[in-house]
Amino acid sequence: MGFRLFDARLTTGFGAALAGGLAHVATEDPVLVIGAASIGAIATAFLAIRAPSGTSPSLSIAEPPAPSDAPHPGGLAPGQGRALLEHLPMGVMLIDRRGTIIFANHHAGEIFGGAGLLEHPFSILRSPKLVDAIEGCLYGAPSSTVEFARPRVLDIHMRAHVLVLEPDDPDLPDERDAAVLVVVEDVTALHRTLALHRDFIANASHELKTPLSSITGIIQTVLGHARDDPQATERFLGMMASQTDRMRRLVEDLLSLNRIELNERIAPRDPQSVMTIVAEVADALQQAAEDQGMNLTMVPPTDPKVMLSQVRGDREELAQVFRNLVENAIKYGLTGTEVAITTRRDGEEHPGMIGVSVRDHGHGIAREHLPRLTERFYRVSVSRSREKGGTGLGLAIVKHILNRHRGELEIESAEGEGSTFTVWLPIFEAEAVTGAKAGTKTRTNQADAA
């Protein structure tokens, strides 16, 4: 280890003086003395540049060490880097040149089966794609990204970024140096979103293709052998009008669903009277219920507070929610029965919320269908839904509107006993206290559970 005698700024001067002094002792020729001094200055400057980091010659020319209170590189104190890695919401692993896992954070342990990863070979990761990518990096392949299913849970999709780490000194490799960095993230939500998108496109295409095919066939018939048959033409034109109306409803529902999804994360702020909106919807659909031989009744609330309750909401969207539920009750209820609308507030499971229930006396819904009723294009009976003019998007629209309003949809049904759809919305005055979360809740009654 060398000794530090001079600051780097004196290096060239020292070299020049030393070389010049030695030349003067050997000869008094001024030209040779000046030349020797120049060579000494150049040589010492070159040594200053080439001196290895952390070492010094006998007459050190290195810069003074940083004070002990100097800031840490990147602003991190010792130990903070490891703490940050432990708290990352992604799995992080370091693998050395021998293929041993020398570091794995907590999330990596959860993904690959516990804290026993350290000092094990990377082959225990039980993912052939990931193992092949790591092995390739250890043997000279470039960094890569792979996707794989989580061990023992095939519906959980992971994405791993396998990165090659360059050694500090390639000429002196240490087998314990980290050679590969693996960062693993959960992409299950992305896969599910893409699957939903594919299903939505396929279902929407099918729903539009069916009436289009019918209309095309009708047009060909009218232009063909039914051209001179007024009665047949009139009947076919009626069928065409029905299919066109079906397409119109489907397009309107698709546009409505798209508009609602665009604003779903923006909670409405305007106060609205729930009772006023429900009463307007009931009045508008009274004639439709009578046409089906049904009685639409709005049961007066027993709690006077319900009449005054307000929620933060979009008036048109809330009206659409209640209209969809009442129309479904009219469509699927039995002729001669009643559709009842009731309101209440502060239920046992919904404190600080107001509930609006729509009860029908139809055939009811089997228990296995309840969790999927709010999926797009899902129908309990496809033929019956199309016969009634349904698009399969009504309850999906209801769900997304309630998500925006931080509300919930509760479904109770049993076969042969009808169904009750209840909308729960946070009351305006208690909104800050309840902290009601968005979502869709389904449950069956005791008779169905039995």
Side-chain angles (χ1 to χ4, degrees):
M1 182 176 182
F3 298 94
R4 182 175 191 83
L5 300 179
F6 297 98
D7 188 272
R9 291 169 292 184
L10 303 178
T11 300
T12 54
F14 174 78
L18 180 61
L22 293 176
H24 180 70
V25 171
T27 178
E28 295 183 357
D29 188 340
V31 175
L32 294 177
V33 172
I34 295 174
S38 300
I39 293 173
I42 294 173
T44 50
F46 179 75
L47 290 174
I49 295 173
R50 296 287 294 175
S53 175
T55 63
S56 58
S58 58
L59 298 177
S60 175
I61 55 176
E63 290 288 342
S68 59
D69 58 348
H72 299 282
L76 297 178
Q80 283 186 336
R82 186 184 185 92
L84 289 175
L85 291 176
E86 286 289 352
H87 288 85
L88 280 177
M90 297 180 289
V92 178
M93 293 183 295
L94 289 175
I95 299 172
D96 66 14
R97 301 178 188 282
R98 300 179 302 177
T100 303
I101 301 172
I102 58 176
F103 173 79
N105 68 355
H106 176 72
H107 200 65
E110 290 182 344
I111 295 172
F112 295 106
L117 295 176
L118 295 183
E119 302 302 325
H120 280 79
F122 65 87
S123 57
I124 71 165
L125 300 179
R126 298 188 299 278
S127 171
K129 288 184 179 180
L130 180 58
V131 169
D132 290 345
I134 296 173
E135 187 174 30
C137 288
L138 289 175
Y139 287 96
S143 302
S144 61
T145 299
V146 296
E147 292 195 6
F148 60 96
R150 184 169 175 174
R152 298 189 298 274
V153 190
L154 297 180
D155 59 341
I156 302 297
H157 299 272
M158 314 300 294
R159 177 180 293 160
H161 305 275
V162 185
L163 309 173
V164 179
L165 300 180
E166 297 295 336
D168 292 337
D169 189 350
D171 298 327
L172 299 172
D174 185 346
E175 289 186 345
R176 297 295 295 167
D177 284 346
V180 177
L181 169 66
V182 181
V183 180
V184 185
E185 57 178 330
D186 190 336
V187 292
T188 304
L190 175 60
H191 276 256
R192 290 175 179 170
T193 300
L194 292 175
L196 287 174
H197 179 71
R198 288 193 298 268
D199 292 344
F200 176 74
I201 296 298
N203 287 325
S205 300
H206 176 73
E207 292 292 334
L208 288 170
K209 182 179 179 180
T210 302
L212 278 174
S213 298
S214 299
I215 293 172
T216 301
I218 292 170
I219 292 174
Q220 291 173 351
T221 303
V222 171
L223 293 177
H225 64 270
R227 179 191 301 271
D228 300 323
D229 188 344
Q231 293 182 347
T233 299
E234 184 177 356
R235 180 166 59 88
F236 284 127
L237 288 177
M239 295 170 60
M240 187 184 299
S242 175
Q243 294 297 328
T244 303
D245 186 59
R246 177 182 168 187
M247 289 183 60
R248 177 189 58 79
R249 291 194 306 270
L250 179 60
V251 171
E252 287 178 351
D253 282 352
L254 287 171
L255 293 175
S256 177
L257 183 60
N258 181 67
R259 183 183 67 254
I260 293 166
E261 287 182 326
L262 289 176
N263 298 321
E264 189 170 345
R265 297 185 180 276
I266 305 174
R269 308 302 301 169
D270 298 330
Q272 305 290 347
S273 170
V274 175
M275 291 299 297
T276 301
I277 298 174
V278 174
E280 291 176 354
V281 170
D283 289 341
L285 296 176
Q286 191 69 48
Q287 186 60 50
E290 293 177 1
D291 292 342
Q292 297 294 324
M294 305 175 72
N295 183 26
L296 178 58
T297 305
M298 187 169 177
V299 180
T302 56
D303 185 354
K305 292 182 180 179
V306 174
M307 298 296 296
L308 303 176
S309 296
Q310 290 187 323
V311 300
R312 289 192 183 274
D314 183 293
R315 186 181 186 84
E316 292 300 322
E317 290 186 356
L318 291 177
Q320 187 173 9
V321 166
F322 300 128
R323 185 167 56 250
N324 283 357
L325 295 181
V326 175
E327 285 179 344
N328 283 348
I330 295 173
K331 288 177 184 176
Y332 302 109
L334 298 178
T335 301
T337 61
E338 178 185 65
V339 174
I341 304 174
T342 58
T343 53
R344 65 187 188 277
R345 57 174 285 168
D346 298 320
E348 292 183 3
E349 298 182 8
H350 304 88
M353 304 182 80
I354 182 171
V356 179
S357 298
V358 179
R359 165 79 175 173
D360 68 62
H361 296 274
H363 295 287
I365 304 170
R367 182 178 184 179
E368 61 267 20
H369 294 294
L370 295 182
R372 301 191 61 188
L373 287 180
T374 57
E375 292 181 12
R376 302 169 184 176
F377 298 110
Y378 185 82
R379 298 178 175 97
V380 176
S381 173
V382 176
S383 59
R384 189 180 178 199
S385 174
R386 289 178 178 172
E387 178 186 343
K388 298 290 185 179
T391 63
L393 294 173
L395 290 180
I397 291 173
V398 168
K399 181 188 74 171
H400 285 286
I401 291 177
L402 292 181
N403 284 345
R404 186 188 179 207
H405 287 73
R406 311 301 186 257
E408 298 178 12
L409 176 64
E410 186 177 80
I411 306 173
E412 300 178 64
S413 185
E415 290 185 277
E417 297 185 13
S419 306
T420 301
F421 291 76
T422 303
V423 170
W424 290 98
L425 295 166
I427 299 173
F428 171 57
E429 296 84 357
E431 182 181 28
V433 178
T434 60
K437 59 183 179 180
T440 301
K441 178 181 179 181
T442 60
R443 69 180 187 185
T444 58
N445 59 22
Q446 295 297 325
D448 188 36

